[in-house]
Amino acid sequence: DAGITQSPRHKVTETGTPVTLRCHQTENHRYMYWYRQDPGHGLRLIHYSYGVKDTDKGEVSDGYSVSRSKTEDFLLTLESATSSQTSVYFCSISGGATGEQFFGPGTRLTVL
Amino acid sequence: KQEVTQIPAALSVPEGENLVLNCSFTDSAIYNLQWFRQDPGKGLTSLLLIQSSQREQTSGRLNASLDKSSGRSTLYIAASQPGDSATYLCAVRPSNDYKLSFGAGTTVTVRA
């Protein structure tokens, strides 16, 4: 398995509070992604990164920001959490000769 | 925009039967195609990766084919087992991008 960890794995927070999710990789892959997965919507891309300090928006980026100060770490921040951001969040990486994509174990976030 | 479709959305078969899962995509200009497995409450596990220049890939009981010209891929699972019960997702990476387009998945139940 690719070396991807996500923290925390579970979090319950209240509406209006800031939340930061962390993704850490040990594969030295260039590309990193944040997705959310919700019933009936499948996997949706929030933000992605194509290098240190290089990030761009995905299809559902409103209310989220990201940062990548090191190759191995990609942070997702919810500046002011809302109940609509209750979801399972997956980090993913890709790179190498084949471009194969790997996923982390996910973070289950509940916003009350 | 690449559209990826997986039909059927759900499939139930008796143990021992061969599984055939279908994936279709609208734009044949792809870099690679990847099949994933997702168990309930878990992350995505990469099963097979087919590069655009390849016609098929095999791993154990799994075989995936790719026909770019017709925009189709098929995942075959031989002699299904109850442990094969999961959701299987197909994802396509365009040749000019590094973001995957996902199908909605096929949920497979193998009855003992």
Side-chain angles (χ1 to χ4, degrees):
Chain A
D1 287 347
I4 311 172
T5 57
Q6 293 185 231
S7 59
R9 296 292 314 281
H10 301 271
K11 186 170 182 67
V12 179
T13 191
E14 295 192 348
T15 297
T17 59
V19 176
T20 295
L21 308 183
R22 180 179 184 244
C23 177
H24 178 79
Q25 61 147 329
T26 57
E27 305 296 322
N28 200 36
H29 280 345
R30 178 181 177 187
Y31 303 107
M32 299 186 76
Y33 314 80
W34 277 107
Y35 295 87
R36 61 179 290 176
Q37 188 175 40
D38 306 284
H41 291 279
L43 276 163
R44 292 182 290 176
L45 182 65
I46 304 171
H47 280 282
Y48 59 98
S49 170
Y50 44 95
V52 173
K53 295 190 181 353
D54 291 323
T55 65
D56 207 345
K57 297 178 180 180
E59 60 183 299
V60 290
S61 59
D62 288 348
Y64 302 94
S65 63
V66 290
S67 66
R68 192 172 178 195
S69 59
K70 297 185 290 185
T71 298
E72 58 266 35
D73 290 327
F74 193 32
L75 304 180
L76 176 71
T77 298
L78 290 65
E79 301 291 347
S80 178
T82 67
S83 58
S84 64
Q85 294 175 312
T86 292
S87 187
V88 180
Y89 291 86
F90 289 103
C91 175
S92 180
I93 64 174
S94 71
T98 65
E100 189 168 4
Q101 192 150 337
F102 301 95
F103 281 77
T107 294
R108 184 172 295 276
L109 176 67
T110 302
V111 184
L112 302 176
Chain B
K1 180 177 183 285
Q2 180 74 269
E3 301 287 342
V4 182
T5 303
Q6 293 185 249
I7 295 174
L11 186 59
S12 178
V13 300
E15 182 176 5
E17 190 166 302
N18 296 331
L19 284 164
V20 180
L21 306 181
N22 297 303
C23 172
S24 61
F25 48 95
T26 54
D27 188 343
S28 62
I30 68 170
Y31 183 80
N32 61 36
L33 184 145
Q34 207 167 341
W35 282 94
F36 294 90
R37 168 184 173 140
Q38 187 175 29
D39 294 292
K42 304 293 186 182
L44 279 71
T45 300
S46 179
L47 296 175
L48 288 168
L49 173 75
I50 311 177
Q51 301 293 355
S52 63
S53 59
Q54 298 174 319
R55 294 297 299 246
E56 66 176 351
Q57 277 287 347
T58 298
S59 177
R61 294 185 294 114
L62 276 60
N63 174 276
S65 65
L66 174 64
D67 184 342
K68 277 198 311 180
S69 61
S70 65
R72 295 179 188 275
S73 177
T74 302
L75 177 66
Y76 300 90
I77 303 177
S80 62
Q81 305 167 358
D84 295 327
S85 299
T87 296
Y88 293 83
L89 294 105
C90 165
V92 173
R93 179 177 164 181
S95 57
N96 61 351
D97 202 351
Y98 39 85
K99 303 188 295 293
L100 294 181
S101 295
F102 282 88
T106 295
T107 299
V108 171
T109 302
V110 181
R111 308 185 304 271

